[in-house]
Amino acid sequence: MTRVLSGVQPSGVLHLGNYLGAVRGWAADQHEHDAFFCVVDLHSLTSDYDPAALAGRTLDTATGLLASGLDPEVCTLFVQSHVAAHPRLAWLLECTATYGELRRMTQFKEKGGENESVRAGLLTYPVLMAADILLYDADRVPVGDDQRQHLELTRDVAIRFNHHFGPTFVVPEAAVPAVAARVMDLQEPTRKMSKSVSSPLGTVDILDSPQEIDRKVRKAVTDTESEVRYDPAAKPGVSNLLDLLAAATGADPASLAPGFTNYGGLKAAVAEALVELLRPVRERHLALAADRAHVVGVLAAGAAKARTVAGPTFERAMAAAGFLAPAEGYSG
Ligand code: AMP
Ligand code: TRP
C-alpha cells in the first residue's frame, strides 16, 4: 500500500488554507493509503515563538486535525518532537544538503534570509522536513502549493544520499490539490492566507462562527470593477472567492463565474458554502477540545506507532553512512 505522510506547523487552530489546501485531502487519503500525519512542533523554533503557548497550540492543531476528519483508528497522528529520530536524521541530511540550495528556498528568502540575525534553523528547516518525510518511506506527500519547492529539495536530498551511500530512502512525490492549493488572504488577495502574516479579517479559522465567516467574506477585498470573472492575475480577490466556492462545492471556478451578476451575490454564495463546509468541523472541534485527555491519548498511541517505523529507517541510514551502531540499539 502507498505510504502517505504530511505535516502541519503548530500554529493553533487550523485556517481555511490548511483545511482546503491540505488537511481535507488527508482525511480522504487515510482511507486509501497507509497514512502518517504529524504536528511539526520542532519547526516552531525557526522564528520567534512563545514558549508558554507552544504546548497549547500543538494540542489545538492536533485537535483541528481530528476535527477535520483524521481518524486515529485509520491513520497515525503524532507530534514530531515525540519521535527522536526526526532531529537525529535531520543532522545526517543537513550534511547531505548544501548551503547554496538551502539559501535559494523561496520561503527562506521571504522570511528574511538576507538578514544576518536570521536563525540558522530557518535555513536548515527544509532538511528537518525532509527527515520527517524520509523516515516513513513516504511515497506521497499531500501539501498545498507553497510546499512544492521543499518537496523538490527532499527528493534531491534522498537521491543524493542513495547515490552516495546506497539505496536507503524512498524518493517521495508531492500531491497538490487541483483546486484551492493556494488559498489567498481575504484582505490581501495577492498573499496566501496564513496565521502568521494575515490580519484577523483576512483569515478564516475552522473555529469561526457562521457570523464571523459571513462578516469576513462580505468584507473580502475585490476590485473596482463589477464583473465576476475568473482571472487570478488581473482579479485576484474575485478569483480567490471563486476558488473557495469551487473547493466547497466541487465545481470548477471558471464555470461558476457566469452564474453571478455582481460581487454581492458571489460573496453571499461563498459565505453560505463556507459556513456549511466548516459547520461539522467546528462542532467536532468544540467537542474534542472539551476532552483534552482523549487527544493526548491519540498522540501517545500515534508516537508509539510512528517510532516503530521511524526507528528502523534511522538505523538503516546510520548504517549506510558507516556509523558504529551502539550495542544496545539507537533507541536511547
Ligand atoms: P502550515 O500551517 O504552513 O504548516 O501548512 C500546513 C499545510 O497547509 C501545508 O500542506 C501547506 O501547504 C498548506 N497550506 C498552508 N497555507 C495554505 C494556503 N493559504 N492555501 C493552501 N494551502 C495552504
Ligand atoms: N513545511 C511545512 C509547512 O510549512 C510543514 C511540514 C513539516 C511538512 N514537515 C513536513 C509538510 C513533512 C509535509 C511533510 O507547511
Side-chain angles (χ1 to χ4, degrees), residues 7-9 11 15 17-18 21-22 143-144 146-147 180-183 192-193:
V8 54
Q9 304 211 28
S11 319
H15 59 72
N18 297 138
V143 282
D146 61 340
Q147 298 302 314
R182 181 173 283 265
V183 173
K192 74 171 180 182
M193 187 180 284

Side-chain angles (χ1 to χ4, degrees), residues 16 186-187 193 200-204 208-222 237 240-242 244-245 263-275 278:
L16 191 62
L186 296 179
Q187 287 298 309
M193 187 180 284
L201 262 186
T203 310
V204 172
D208 280 350
S209 67
Q211 294 74 15
E212 281 164 322
I213 295 174
D214 193 68
R215 188 170 76 96
K216 288 177 181 179
V217 173
R218 284 179 197 276
K219 285 189 182 282
V221 168
T222 47
N240 190 38
L241 292 173
L242 287 166
L244 291 175
L245 188 60
Y263 294 167
L266 172 63
K267 286 180 169 179
V270 172
E272 192 186 328
L274 292 182
V275 165
L278 295 180

